[in-house]
């Protein structure tokens, strides 16, 4: 923690008081939370920054979509549209935001919508014909205007919420006690070989009587363009451009870097300007460009199809996957009568 953030400690106390008061008013019913007669699963975090919400939403889509009509609802961060937008054939990253457009591109059989007002967004979704049977709320842990039926709290292995402090001194959006609203907690971005001993130590540090699971980022062994795929083993030794506009991109770079690659790093959810795209092309020349899925959906219309590739990732549970899946399916089944 740098000195400047330490100096902002009084503001962190004030911010913590305000968010705690807000949560108290919701908990006691002074502020109204809307409930809906449909299974709603909210995925979110207490910390700002990347905890792996997108791959976790995709995990749930893969788990549930074979048997249920699924809809995702996101805020649509940095989109250029307003209000409720339901993805259709005219959708792109500018109208939906990068992550919702990624869902729409990868899972054409689900409904994808964005709305900063989650209550209105859900109301719009349940009015569809046919209406979704399950709604997945992306980054909605603090959105108390809606009461989801099931809450999944994510916290990154190297940035556990239990070791953090309130903004602006730390990175917490609300106090650690907010974790009590979670039905399950997933510690994300773990080493794939995380030992049972360290898992138990982390559970002790978190100190909550909640089911706690551990996941890691599983990188694909192929990179993909709009027309073809190449194996990572094939492209890793060659000189190339590695480009990312995500939070904490180091593991992405490390996985692909030959040691001679050009690294181009941009802020999370970065909207690439025309001049930046020209700069990327000038640096790349004839080299291939490999980026993340989120960046690919923003760049694919601006860079040659045979030059731009992306590396898919998945959230993979280290162990107890069957128990996690059963927990989710039991919740959904209880709500739908299909336990």
């Amino acid at each position: 923690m740098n000195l400047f953030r330490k100096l902002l400690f009084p503001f962190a106390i004030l911010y913590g008081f305000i968010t705690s008061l807000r949560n108290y008013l919701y908990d006691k019913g002074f502020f109204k939370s809307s409930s809906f007669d449909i299974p709603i699963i909210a995925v979110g975090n207490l910390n700002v920054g990347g905890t792996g919400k997108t791959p976790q939403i995709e995990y749930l889509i893969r788990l549930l979509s074979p048997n249920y009509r699924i809809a995702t609802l996101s805020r649509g961060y940095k989109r250029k549209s307003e209000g409720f937008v339901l993805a259709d054939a005219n959708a792109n990253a500018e109208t939906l935001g990068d992550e919702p457009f990624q869902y729409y591109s990868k899972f054409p059989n689900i409904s994808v919508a964005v709305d900063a007002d989650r209550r209105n967004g859900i109301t719009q979704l349940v009015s569809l014909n046919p209406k979704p049977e399950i709604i997945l709320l992306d980054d909605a842990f603090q959105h108390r205007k809606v009461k989801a039926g099931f809450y999944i709290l994510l916290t990154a292995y190297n940035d556990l919420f239990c070791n953090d402090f309130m903004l602006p001194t730390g990175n917490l959006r609300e106090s650690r006690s907010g974790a009590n609203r979670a039905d399950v907690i997933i510690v994300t971005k773990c080493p794939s070989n995380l030992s049972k001993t360290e898992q138990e130590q982390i559970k002790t540090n978190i100190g909550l009587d909640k089911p706690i699971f551990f996941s890691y980022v599983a990188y694909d062994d192929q990179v993909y363009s709009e027309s073809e795929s190449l194996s990572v083993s094939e492209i890793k030794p060659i000189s190339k451009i590695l480009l990312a506009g995500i939070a904490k991109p180091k593991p992405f770079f490390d996985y692909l870097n030959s040691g001679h690659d050009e690294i181009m790093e941009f802020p999370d959810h970065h909207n690439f300007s025309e001049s930046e795209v020209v700069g990327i092309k000038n640096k790349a020349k004839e080299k291939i460009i490999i980026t993340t899925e989120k960046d690919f959906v923003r760049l694919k219309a601006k860079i040659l199809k045979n030059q731009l590739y992306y590396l898919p990732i998945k959230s993979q549970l280290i162990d107890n996957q069957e128990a996690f899946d059963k927990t989710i399916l039991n919740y959904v089944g209880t709500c739908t009568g299909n336990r």
Side-chain angles (χ1 to χ4, degrees):
M1 188 185 304
N2 62 42
L3 177 60
F4 178 70
R5 298 192 82 176
K6 289 181 179 179
L7 293 175
L8 295 175
F9 179 76
F11 295 97
I13 296 296
L14 177 61
Y15 180 66
F17 171 77
I18 292 170
T19 57
S20 295
L21 177 61
R22 173 180 178 269
N23 282 330
Y24 174 83
L25 294 173
Y26 272 111
D27 292 341
K28 297 301 181 182
F30 294 102
F31 289 170
K32 183 181 178 182
S33 295
S34 297
S35 298
F36 293 84
D37 187 22
I38 183 174
I40 297 176
I41 302 174
V43 177
N45 50 14
L46 296 185
N47 314 63
V48 298
T51 54
K53 293 183 292 295
T54 302
Q56 186 58 48
I57 290 286
E58 292 186 357
Y59 182 100
L60 295 173
I61 293 171
R62 293 186 182 97
L63 174 66
L64 297 168
S65 61
N67 297 307
Y68 297 96
R69 289 189 301 275
I70 304 296
T72 65
L73 180 61
S74 310
R75 176 179 50 162
Y77 184 61
K78 286 195 173 181
R79 64 186 169 115
K80 295 184 178 179
S81 60
E82 295 183 358
F84 177 82
V85 177
L86 181 67
D88 58 20
N90 298 315
N92 55 46
E94 292 189 347
T95 58
L96 295 179
D98 51 12
E99 290 159 343
F101 186 55
Q102 180 176 317
Y103 303 147
Y104 179 70
S105 301
K106 292 180 71 171
F107 305 102
N109 295 325
I110 72 169
S111 298
V112 176
V114 294
D115 197 335
D117 183 343
R118 305 304 206 287
R119 184 161 51 193
N120 179 68
I122 295 171
T123 301
Q124 296 287 339
L125 283 171
V126 297
S127 69
L128 297 176
N129 186 19
K131 76 175 186 178
E133 295 172 300
I134 304 168
I135 295 176
L136 305 178
L137 295 184
D138 184 9
D139 196 14
F141 200 81
Q142 283 78 36
H143 201 89
R144 301 293 307 270
K145 290 182 179 180
V146 168
K147 182 172 176 56
F150 197 91
Y151 287 90
I152 299 175
L153 176 65
L154 308 182
T155 184
Y157 170 78
N158 287 321
D159 192 19
L160 296 173
F161 74 85
C162 57
N163 299 331
D164 208 340
F165 198 74
M166 295 294 304
L167 286 165
T169 298
N171 291 316
L172 292 183
R173 300 174 173 182
E174 60 174 301
S175 73
R176 301 169 194 170
S177 63
N180 288 304
R181 298 198 303 277
D183 292 284
V184 301
I185 296 171
I186 303 178
V187 181
T188 63
K189 301 185 178 182
C190 298
S192 60
N193 60 349
L194 186 69
S195 69
K196 291 285 189 181
T197 300
E198 190 170 1
Q199 290 181 36
E200 291 304 317
Q201 183 59 58
I202 291 172
K203 290 179 181 179
T204 299
N205 291 345
I206 289 174
L208 293 175
D209 186 20
K210 306 274 184 182
I212 299 177
F213 299 89
F214 298 84
S215 71
Y216 65 95
V217 174
Y219 291 102
D220 205 305
D221 59 4
Q222 302 273 322
V223 295
Y224 300 84
S225 70
E226 288 197 287
S227 58
E228 66 173 358
S229 65
L230 299 170
S231 70
V232 170
S233 60
E234 175 186 355
I235 58 91
K236 188 167 183 177
I238 68 174
S239 181
K240 54 194 174 292
I241 301 291
L242 300 180
L243 184 155
I246 60 172
K248 303 172 185 174
K250 186 177 183 298
F252 167 79
F253 292 138
D254 290 346
Y255 182 72
L256 294 168
N257 194 357
S258 68
H260 306 286
D261 297 331
E262 180 82 32
I263 304 295
M264 302 187 72
E265 185 175 346
F266 295 86
D268 196 15
H269 298 281
H270 185 65
N271 287 320
F272 295 91
S273 67
E274 186 175 333
S275 63
E276 286 172 331
V277 172
V278 170
I280 293 167
K281 292 178 178 178
N282 288 339
K283 281 195 174 183
K285 294 184 172 58
E286 302 300 321
K287 297 177 182 178
I288 65 169
I289 303 166
I290 304 177
T291 188
T292 69
E293 286 186 272
K294 286 202 297 185
D295 296 303
F296 183 81
V297 299
R298 292 194 297 268
L299 287 169
K300 65 180 182 178
K302 303 174 181 179
I303 294 177
L304 292 174
K305 292 182 180 181
N306 62 353
Q307 189 174 23
L308 184 68
Y309 293 78
Y310 68 90
L311 175 70
I313 63 172
K314 289 183 179 180
S315 175
Q316 183 68 49
L317 292 170
I318 292 175
D319 47 33
N320 296 325
Q321 178 176 330
E322 184 178 350
F324 176 80
D325 292 355
K326 184 177 180 180
T327 299
I328 300 299
L329 293 170
N330 277 349
Y331 159 68
V332 171
T334 299
C335 293
T336 61
N338 295 313
R339 190 180 180 88

